[in-house]
Amino acid sequence: MKVIIRNNAAEGSLWAAHYIADKIREKAARTDEPFVIGLCTGSTPIETYAELIRMVKAGELSFKNVISFNMDEYVGLPEEHPESYHSFMHRYLFDHIDEKPENIHILNGNAADVEAECAAYEKAIVDAGGFDLFLGGVGEDGHIAFNEPFSSLESRTRVVTLTQDTREVNARFFDGDFNKVPKQALTVGVATVLSSKEVVILAFGSKKARALKDAIEGPMSHYCTLSGLQAHPAGTIVADENSVGELKLNSYRYFKAVEEAESK
Ligand code: GLP
């Protein structure tokens, strides 16, 4: 695992956007096969998406041969609701880039048969060739996508019940009203994320410090599902000074030194 530490969220977001853009361009330069990317929602990736949009508008990057799969969606929230992850993704990314509509995949939280929806999603990912890169965030309790504490690290796409904590944290998007936050969601599993060739997780701010401490220094455990990244051969956490505030000084120095050595 690598941890890239930047001074603040703005610098971390730029790093991530340029890293992703380089990966898309590198693949486009060597093959006609599409670049398959996993995408996330939440307040954290917004600045990364803004920089990707800027690059597309400046002609520096294209999503024409990119296929995306979002990680999660609430169950029972109409797609047109402003806080559905469908609305979020169009507002902050898809409406401003050149990705083909047929290449955009987001779980349907209103499917009549949600189990069939989840199984079809896993199959569509395989049919697309599997993920080249999965971009994720992390919840304050260390959850990745909506894989709440005690989700199996072998989990795949499925229906989940959200924890009280997550619903309280996400109430800020629903007029501060906990009761308006859906109780269930569809989410890719921990193993679905980890099936990607590469995983990049964004985590900024002191509210994420405990999650990063557990994920990076703690044991690999279903208690903190991001800790599953420890077993991945190409996992990167993009952090800022605040989100690594609870790491041991030696861990902090190690990650800084590795980055410095590799950039020479
Ligand atoms: C939700 C999403 C996660 C996201 C998390 C963090 O729970 N399902 O994918 O990582 O929120 O959100 P934020 O970036 O707003 O802190």
Side-chain angles (χ1 to χ4, degrees):
M1 180 193 286
K2 284 187 184 169
V3 182
I4 301 291
I5 304 165
R6 286 293 173 270
N7 289 326
N8 51 47
E11 289 179 18
S13 301
L14 280 186
W15 187 94
H18 286 265
Y19 187 82
I20 293 164
D22 285 347
K23 292 284 169 171
I24 293 173
R25 289 187 290 238
E26 271 167 29
K27 187 164 185 184
R30 74 183 143 80
T31 170
D32 289 338
E33 281 173 26
F35 189 90
V36 184
I37 190 166
L39 295 173
C40 60
T41 55
S43 47
T44 308
I46 291 175
E47 284 188 80
T48 297
Y49 291 157
E51 178 62 6
L52 290 171
I53 291 167
R54 189 202 62 72
M55 285 188 258
V56 170
K57 292 198 166 157
E60 298 164 15
L61 175 69
S62 174
F63 277 74
K64 278 208 176 97
N65 202 20
V66 173
I67 298 180
S68 66
F69 289 86
N70 261 80
M71 41 168 54
D72 45 18
E73 178 57 288
Y74 291 112
V75 167
L77 197 64
E79 273 183 22
E80 58 279 10
H81 188 288
E83 295 307 333
S84 78
Y85 289 166
H86 280 75
S87 297
F88 176 98
M89 287 307 299
H90 282 277
R91 187 159 69 240
Y92 289 110
L93 186 65
F94 298 143
D95 287 353
H96 315 283
I97 60 173
D98 57 350
E99 184 171 350
K100 293 178 192 148
E102 64 269 29
N103 285 350
I104 294 171
H105 301 85
I106 307 180
L107 282 155
N108 177 6
N110 293 292
D113 183 344
V114 284
E115 311 234 324
E117 168 70 12
C118 294
Y121 206 68
E122 283 282 337
K123 183 174 181 305
I125 293 166
V126 173
D127 290 349
F131 290 113
D132 290 292
L133 187 149
F134 213 122
L135 177 71
V138 61
E140 291 178 23
D141 59 5
H143 70 236
I144 179 165
F146 267 136
N147 294 288
E148 299 283 30
F150 314 118
S151 295
S152 164
L153 299 183
E154 294 295 323
S155 53
R156 291 280 172 177
T157 306
R158 67 205 188 288
V159 190
V160 293
T161 298
L162 302 180
T163 61
Q164 168 119 352
D165 280 359
T166 292
R167 292 179 64 223
E168 281 172 6
V169 169
N170 287 2
R172 69 201 146 116
F173 298 118
F174 293 85
D175 310 319
D177 184 350
F178 165 82
N179 292 308
K180 288 187 186 164
V181 185
K183 294 187 173 73
Q184 288 191 309
L186 303 187
T187 182
V188 295
V190 181
T192 318
V193 175
L194 298 181
S195 72
S196 178
K197 292 189 187 82
E198 186 166 358
V199 181
V200 175
I201 300 296
L202 307 176
F204 305 127
S206 53
K207 285 186 176 165
K208 304 294 169 72
R210 184 176 64 89
L212 289 200
K213 183 177 179 52
D214 289 346
I216 296 167
E217 294 177 338
M220 202 168 88
S221 159
H222 59 177
Y223 175 68
C224 169
T225 53
L226 180 59
S227 69
L229 194 63
Q230 293 175 14
H232 195 280
T236 301
I237 294 177
V238 186
D240 67 358
E241 293 288 345
N242 290 330
S243 63
V244 292
E246 294 208 17
L247 291 193
K248 289 179 188 143
L249 189 54
N250 276 346
S251 311
Y252 174 90
R253 284 183 180 146
Y254 171 76
F255 291 121
K256 282 281 202 188
V258 168
E259 197 196 337
E260 201 188 320
E262 291 187 352
S263 66
K264 278 181 185 156

